Amino acid sequence: MASTACFTNGGGHGCRCGNGVRSKKGKKRCGGELPRYLDSIGSDLKNPDVKELAYEKTPTASLLQLARLMAQTKAKLDRIVCPALIFVSDEDHVVPPGNADIIFQGISSTEKEIVRLRNSYHVATLDYDQPMIIERSLEFFAKHAG
């Protein structure tokens, strides 16, 4: 299996091995190696009759990039001032549901709402709560269109 070194800027790095050393470019480099790909996290659905189309593997480099992007985005949440409708599944095996609260508290929108989904997992738009998501989204768009 091909592997790639774990590189991140600054503080902690992704692999948790505790072997962090500095590379020539000053980036923290993990002394261990990460696999190039991880098994995919696709089809996190409560409804067993539905399958999400998803890749079979996830490149680890993309996960490191995602972690950087999430940190940058979190630092700029206060720039969001438009109305916001945030859907979050109470049970999600991909993203911690608490992330929705971080977004809700971080944005500067005066009109914002969190809708808690009680009967869906991560891919809620394909899951049991789909009709409610469509209905609430259409109401939101009609209210704010124009």
Side-chain angles (χ1 to χ4, degrees):
M1 174 187 288
S3 62
T4 182
C6 170
F7 284 101
T8 61
N9 289 316
H13 62 287
C15 82
R16 302 180 190 271
C17 74
N19 295 330
V21 296
R22 295 280 171 193
S23 71
K24 291 180 183 177
K25 294 183 180 180
K27 291 183 179 179
K28 197 161 191 175
R29 180 180 187 275
C30 166
E33 299 290 320
L34 292 175
R36 188 166 177 196
Y37 296 97
L38 298 175
D39 289 337
S40 178
I41 315 171
S43 284
D44 187 29
L45 290 140
K46 192 172 192 176
N47 185 342
D49 297 329
V50 178
K51 286 288 181 202
E52 175 192 21
L53 295 177
Y55 291 108
E56 292 180 18
K57 299 285 182 182
T58 301
T60 54
S62 68
L63 298 175
L64 295 172
Q65 289 294 322
L66 178 60
R68 289 184 192 122
L69 177 61
M70 287 171 39
Q72 293 170 4
T73 302
K74 186 176 179 182
K76 296 178 182 179
L77 283 175
D78 63 332
R79 295 182 183 185
I80 298 173
V81 296
C82 63
L85 179 61
I86 302 165
F87 292 98
V88 59
S89 295
D90 286 339
E91 187 173 352
D92 188 320
H93 306 104
V94 179
V95 176
N99 283 8
D101 297 312
I102 293 168
I103 293 168
F104 184 85
Q105 293 167 3
I107 62 177
S108 297
S109 307
T110 56
E111 187 174 340
K112 55 188 176 180
E113 179 183 1
I114 291 183
V115 177
R116 306 233 177 242
L117 306 174
R118 310 244 184 264
N119 201 23
S120 295
Y121 295 158
H122 181 72
V123 191
T125 54
L126 298 178
D127 219 331
Y128 291 120
D129 289 314
Q130 181 191 54
M132 189 261 292
I133 294 169
I134 292 170
E135 180 182 335
R136 294 294 304 273
S137 296
L138 289 173
E139 290 170 1
F140 180 83
F141 296 139
K143 181 178 179 181
H144 297 287

